[in-house]
């Protein structure tokens, strides 16, 4: 059994201080990857010893900033949801929430209410426009990690598509979970709900394989441990 402990500062943000990666069976959340699927992804993904640090990552798009992944939630990109008249954040909310309501006159774009079955905490969260900050959109394979692991050398257009890939790399989740996760990779952070580990592992590896991004040896070890718990 592998136990992963988060720093004290992380624990203070209402997340478990240690994530138990027991190999005992667990009932995964619906839509999770199976053991066979994870094993296939694990033999397909590249593994590197450690995370590189090429420097130059600058997410901000204000004057003088690098804007290396393009403006946040832009609609101006070639890919699923791009150029459809709706920003990426609302596209994710529209896909993932249930009982969705929209602002009138927005062609069913601006989400004003709905319910989220959180893919990280396992909780059901009520979304309202007034408290929109309670739900954030997470990059499963974090942008900063992607930059360090190879995206620094991609064309800008590929980085913008990656940052807005609603099919593979984006999930709505509780703001508290997203903020604790930050730019962490699987060896540093896992969803607090253990039933959601197989889901997360499958999505993380799918993004890595799709974009030919590697995982570190430490990440690979954790993901292999998770795979052994999945039916």
């Amino acid at each position: 059994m592998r136990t992963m402990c988060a720093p004290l500062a992380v624990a203070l943000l209402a997340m478990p201080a240690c994530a138990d990666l027991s190999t005992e069976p667990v009932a995964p959340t619906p839509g999770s990857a199976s053991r066979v699927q994870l094993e296939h992804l694990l033999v397909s993904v590249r593994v590197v010893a450690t995370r590189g640090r090429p420097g130059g990552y600058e997410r901000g798009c204000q004057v003088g900033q690098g804007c290396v992944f393009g403006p946040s939630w832009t609609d101006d990109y070639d890919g699923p949801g791009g150029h459809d008249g709706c920003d990426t954040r609302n596209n994710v909310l529209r896909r993932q929430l249930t009982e969705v309501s929209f602002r009138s006159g927005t062609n069913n774009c601006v989400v004003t209410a709905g319910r989220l079955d959180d893919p990280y905490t396992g909780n059901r969260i009520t979304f309202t426009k007034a408290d929109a900050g309670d739900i954030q959109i997470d990059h499963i394979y974090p942008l900063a990690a992607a930059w360090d692991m190879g995206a620094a050398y991609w064309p800008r257009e590929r980085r913008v598509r990656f940052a807005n890939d609603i099919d593979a790399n984006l999930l709505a989740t509780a703001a508290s979970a997203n903020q604790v996760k930050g730019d962490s990779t699987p060896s540093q952070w896992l969803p607090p709900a253990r039933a959601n580990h197989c889901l997360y592992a499958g999505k993380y590896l799918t993004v890595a394989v799709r974009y030919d991004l590697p995982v570190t040896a430490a990440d690979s070890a954790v993901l292999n441990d998770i795979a052994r718990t999945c039916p």
Side-chain angles (χ1 to χ4, degrees):
M1 176 172 66
R2 181 186 300 272
T3 300
M4 184 177 69
C5 296
L8 178 59
V10 171
L12 292 175
L13 290 174
M15 297 285 283
C18 296
D20 180 11
L21 298 185
S22 168
T23 56
E24 297 176 1
V26 62
T29 193
S32 296
S34 67
R35 175 187 289 198
V36 170
Q37 289 171 322
L38 287 175
E39 288 173 346
H40 176 74
L41 289 165
L42 283 162
V43 299
S44 301
V45 73
R46 290 190 294 120
V47 179
V48 297
T50 58
R51 178 171 167 174
R53 298 290 178 181
Y57 175 72
E58 195 168 45
R59 175 66 168 137
C61 292
Q62 300 298 319
V63 176
Q65 296 181 319
C67 198
V68 296
F69 283 93
S72 296
W73 314 136
T74 181
D75 185 42
D76 186 17
Y77 68 97
D78 293 324
H83 304 296
D84 68 351
C86 194
D87 64 90
T88 298
R89 173 180 165 84
N90 276 294
N91 273 332
V92 175
L93 293 174
R94 183 169 58 182
R95 280 186 168 203
Q96 204 171 328
L97 271 58
T98 58
E99 303 174 36
V100 179
S101 298
F102 300 96
R103 180 181 296 165
S104 62
T106 64
N107 196 28
N108 286 352
C109 171
V110 178
V111 176
T112 59
R115 295 186 184 276
L116 173 70
D117 290 319
D118 191 334
Y120 290 159
T121 68
N123 298 329
R124 171 159 281 197
I125 303 172
T126 298
F127 172 84
T128 64
K129 194 65 175 175
D131 297 311
D134 292 347
I135 291 179
Q136 296 181 352
I137 309 301
D138 177 54
H139 291 94
I140 300 163
Y141 198 120
L143 297 185
W147 177 268
D148 291 344
M149 301 289 262
Y153 308 104
W154 292 351
R156 187 175 185 274
E157 293 76 11
R158 181 174 172 83
R159 292 199 296 267
V160 173
R161 175 169 178 149
F162 177 82
N164 293 278
D165 190 339
I166 61 177
D167 283 347
N169 197 32
L170 297 177
L171 281 178
T173 186
S176 57
N178 188 44
Q179 289 164 4
V180 172
K181 177 175 180 280
D183 71 346
S184 298
T185 59
S187 61
Q188 303 163 314
W189 180 91
L190 289 174
R194 187 165 166 255
N196 295 51
H197 286 187
C198 298
L199 176 75
Y200 170 68
K203 289 185 176 295
Y204 193 93
L205 285 165
T206 295
V207 177
V209 171
R210 178 173 296 187
Y211 285 90
D212 192 29
L213 289 167
V215 299
T216 66
D219 291 337
S220 178
V222 169
L223 292 166
N224 271 281
D225 281 349
I226 291 173
R228 286 190 283 273
T229 73
C230 303

